[in-house]
């Protein structure tokens, strides 16, 4: 593998558990090492490269914008950023967009917006957040504080004050947790890093009802579930339940750093000059690419195919083990799929890697599949054949 892995091991912070693998090129659903070894990528950079690697239409937009304008700061308007905001508004319930660069930053912006809105509308006693156990919202202090997995907190306390955790899909607990002090409820429609656990419709309906009753904002973190991943542009569309604030990032610019929060004007207007900002947020290159991403992904037939491919992949996996000897459950929506095994999934993960198939393992017993949405039916078959061999 040459020197890349060795150099990384010497000089990089050791905060990631990395494979001893370095990639030099990507194309569609494939990644290539320096030696030309080819891997089938069922991670898509953790639900980021939804249109695959080096998509020709995205390369074109990227190159064109790179020759025009890179950065101006947000002291001025740029065409790609303004157009992208317009497009996101057209494609959602929203009316206004704030741009940042990463998922955690979008969550930070959403939390700050919710507190500020409550502060201006009801005063400073309304500041508490409700979040879900087993959730994941990012690694910065605000995002970490609403992440309901205590092992991520170890050694980093004290966290943000006023966060109440509730078990997912437990309507009674949610009701008990609510009071006038709550300014927002934050949740992922499908918990991604938690191991692909979808929330139930009844729970989301209850969440919406309670937020309205207690005048709290409903924040959907769709950083992983958005941009076509579940077969809709955003997962909230499956339920017909609109949030007050929507967070999007990961696949928004297919691999360039970009994130956004989207809300109605009445809420977003509390972000007056000086309240919040980002130097790079909505930079022209990432925004230009994101516009193209949205054009390609929001196509009705494209999204219908994501649903179809997801259904086929899920059914094929379920059929591999009808007696549930190894596979306990296959969960998810569209091409966000979690396979929960009866035992630790490490063996399966390692065997897949030996077969040059990349997947992620968010929890010891769970393998998550997030292939590029452009994955072919043949590749789905190929994956299932290899998995079948491994199970044998
Ligand atoms: C990945 C992810 C984040 C954090 O995004 P970063 O870009 O790593 O900060 C937040 N929420 C969800 C649901 C995610 O999947």
């Amino acid at each position: 593998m040459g020197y890349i892995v060795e150099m990384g091991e010497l000089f990089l912070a050791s905060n990631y558990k990395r494979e001893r693998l370095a990639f030099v090129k990507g194309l569609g659903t494939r990644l290539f090492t320096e030696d030309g070894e080819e891997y089938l990528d069922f991670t898509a950079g953790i639900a980021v490269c939804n249109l695959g690697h080096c998509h020709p239409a995205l390369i074109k937009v990227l190159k064109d914008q790179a020759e025009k304008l890179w950065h101006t700061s947000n002291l001025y308007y740029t065409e790609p950023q303004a157009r992208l905001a317009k497009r996101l508004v057209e494609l959602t319930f929203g009316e206004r967009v704030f741009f940042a660069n990463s998922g955690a930053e979008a969550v930070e912006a959403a939390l700050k917006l919710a507190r500020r809105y409550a502060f201006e509308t009801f005063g400073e006693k309304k500041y508490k957040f409700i979040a879900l156990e087993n959730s994941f919202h990012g690694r910065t202090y605000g995002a970490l504080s609403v992440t309901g997995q205590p092992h991520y907190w170890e050694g980093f306390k004290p966290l943000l004050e006023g966060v109440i955790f509730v078990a997912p899909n437990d309507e009674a607990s949610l009701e008990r947790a609510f009071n006038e002090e709550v300014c927002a409820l934050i949740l992922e429609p499908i918990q991604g890093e938690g191991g692909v656990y979808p929330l139930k419709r009844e729970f989301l309906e209850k969440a919406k009802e309670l937020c309205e009753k207690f005048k709290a904002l409903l924040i959907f973190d769709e950083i992983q579930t958005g941009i076509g991943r579940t077969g809709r542009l955003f997962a909230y569309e499956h339920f017909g339940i609109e949030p007050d604030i929507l967070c999007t990032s990961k696949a928004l610019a297919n691999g360039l750093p970009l994130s956004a929060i989207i809300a109605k004007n009445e809420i977003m207007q509390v972000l007056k000059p000086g309240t919040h900002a980002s130097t790079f947020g909505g930079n022209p290159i990432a925004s230009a690419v994101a516009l193209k991403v949205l054009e390609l992904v929001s196509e009705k037939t494209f999204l219908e195919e994501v649903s179809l491919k997801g259904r086929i992949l899920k059914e094929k996996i379920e059929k591999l083990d009808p007696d549930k000897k190894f596979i306990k459950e296959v969960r998810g929506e569209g091409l966000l799929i979690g396979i929960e095994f009866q035992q630790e999934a490490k063996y399966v993960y390692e065997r897949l890697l030996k077969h040059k198939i990349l997947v992620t393992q968010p929890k010891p017993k769970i393998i998550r599949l997030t292939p590029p949405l452009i994955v072919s039916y043949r590749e789905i078959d190929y994956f299932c054949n290899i998995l079948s061999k491994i199970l044998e």
Side-chain angles (χ1 to χ4, degrees):
M1 181 61 58
Y3 56 86
I4 304 172
V5 170
E6 277 75 18
M7 203 156 130
E9 283 181 340
L10 256 179
F11 296 114
L12 286 168
S14 46
N15 59 319
Y16 299 106
K17 200 176 141 279
R18 296 184 204 252
E19 295 301 335
R20 302 193 84 248
L21 256 179
F23 292 110
V24 296
K25 168 89 190 121
L27 192 63
T29 56
R30 309 299 166 122
L31 284 169
F32 299 88
T33 66
E34 209 174 13
D35 315 322
E37 286 185 14
E38 183 177 330
Y39 283 75
L40 177 61
D41 183 9
F42 266 39
T43 73
I46 318 185
V48 168
C49 304
N50 281 9
L51 290 168
H53 302 281
C54 291
H55 191 292
L58 300 184
I59 292 175
K60 171 140 198 339
V61 168
L62 176 75
K63 281 185 172 167
D64 288 350
Q65 187 58 43
E67 288 179 358
K68 273 192 212 153
L69 184 65
W70 286 30
H71 177 80
T72 60
S73 86
N74 283 309
L75 297 172
Y76 315 100
Y77 293 97
T78 69
E79 185 178 1
Q81 191 187 114
R83 278 190 187 280
L84 180 60
K86 174 171 181 275
R87 200 74 194 106
L88 285 169
V89 164
E90 286 165 354
L91 290 167
T92 63
F93 65 95
E95 293 170 347
R96 297 269 173 178
V97 182
F98 167 81
F99 288 111
N101 311 283
S102 66
E105 279 178 80
V107 170
E108 293 293 332
L111 298 176
K112 280 184 73 179
L113 174 56
R115 273 202 177 161
R116 186 75 184 207
Y117 178 76
F119 172 82
E120 295 208 353
T121 320
F122 307 101
E124 62 191 17
K125 287 220 175 74
K126 195 173 179 67
Y127 68 95
K128 289 190 177 165
F129 295 111
I130 298 179
L132 300 187
E133 289 165 7
N134 197 46
S135 61
F136 182 84
H137 298 292
R139 306 295 197 139
T140 55
Y141 262 106
L144 184 65
S145 301
V146 292
T147 289
Q149 302 191 57
H151 66 275
Y152 287 128
W153 305 335
E154 205 184 312
F156 297 117
K157 287 183 181 178
L159 301 174
L160 202 64
E161 249 181 81
V163 183
I164 306 156
F165 287 99
V166 167
N169 290 327
D170 182 345
E171 284 114 278
S173 298
L174 186 65
E175 188 145 21
R176 262 180 270 125
F178 259 96
N179 59 49
E180 300 294 338
E181 288 176 351
V182 174
C183 73
L185 161 62
I186 182 166
L187 55 82
E188 305 150 87
I190 301 173
Q191 293 188 330
E193 297 308 300
V196 191
Y197 287 96
L199 293 183
K200 297 211 165 70
R201 171 181 294 276
E202 304 81 68
F203 184 77
L204 288 171
E205 279 168 357
K206 193 74 185 170
K208 181 79 186 173
E209 179 196 316
L210 288 166
C211 281
E212 279 175 357
K213 181 171 166 196
F214 288 95
K215 300 190 165 45
L217 299 185
L218 181 57
I219 305 170
F220 280 4
D221 177 348
E222 292 231 33
I223 290 162
Q224 188 154 154
T225 53
I227 319 299
R229 176 55 55 189
T230 70
R232 296 289 182 97
L233 188 61
F234 291 104
Y236 77 82
E237 298 168 35
H238 291 289
F239 304 99
I241 295 168
E242 286 176 1
D244 296 295
I245 306 173
L246 181 74
C247 304
T248 176
S249 184
K250 286 203 162 84
L252 180 57
N254 207 63
L256 294 186
L258 183 65
S259 66
I261 62 167
I262 305 166
K264 293 258 199 254
N265 194 34
E266 194 238 333
I267 293 164
M268 200 71 99
Q269 52 90 22
V270 303
L271 290 190
K272 298 197 174 64
T275 53
H276 197 53
S278 166
T279 296
F280 290 120
N283 99 80
I285 296 182
S287 295
V289 171
L291 259 172
K292 194 51 145 183
V293 168
L294 288 178
E295 183 191 318
L296 298 171
V297 170
S298 64
E299 191 76 41
K300 190 163 167 276
T301 52
F302 183 90
L303 290 171
E304 281 170 357
E305 258 201 296
V306 173
S307 295
L308 178 61
K309 287 172 188 171
R311 213 160 52 235
I312 291 171
L313 181 53
K314 227 162 112 179
E315 278 169 15
K316 276 183 184 280
I317 297 167
E318 277 163 354
K319 277 203 192 117
L320 295 180
D321 183 22
D323 305 331
K324 299 186 189 265
K325 237 173 92 191
F326 306 107
I327 297 174
K328 194 173 164 196
E329 194 181 25
V330 189
R331 293 186 293 266
E333 194 65 50
L335 287 169
L336 173 55
I337 294 176
I339 313 173
E340 179 159 352
F341 288 85
Q342 301 284 8
Q343 291 94 17
E344 298 246 322
K346 196 164 176 269
Y347 173 78
V348 177
Y349 173 89
E350 279 169 1
R351 297 291 304 173
L352 284 168
L353 192 62
K354 279 239 160 59
H355 281 93
K356 299 196 166 49
I357 298 175
L358 305 174
V359 298
T360 48
Q361 199 187 345
K363 287 276 154 77
K365 290 184 176 176
I366 298 169
I367 284 192
R368 175 180 46 179
L369 311 178
T370 52
L373 307 181
I374 54 155
V375 67
S376 72
Y377 297 94
R378 274 184 54 200
E379 287 166 332
I380 288 173
D381 279 348
Y382 176 77
F383 173 84
C384 292
N385 287 339
I386 299 290
L387 183 60
S388 164
K389 270 193 201 146
I390 294 170
L391 293 182
E392 274 168 27

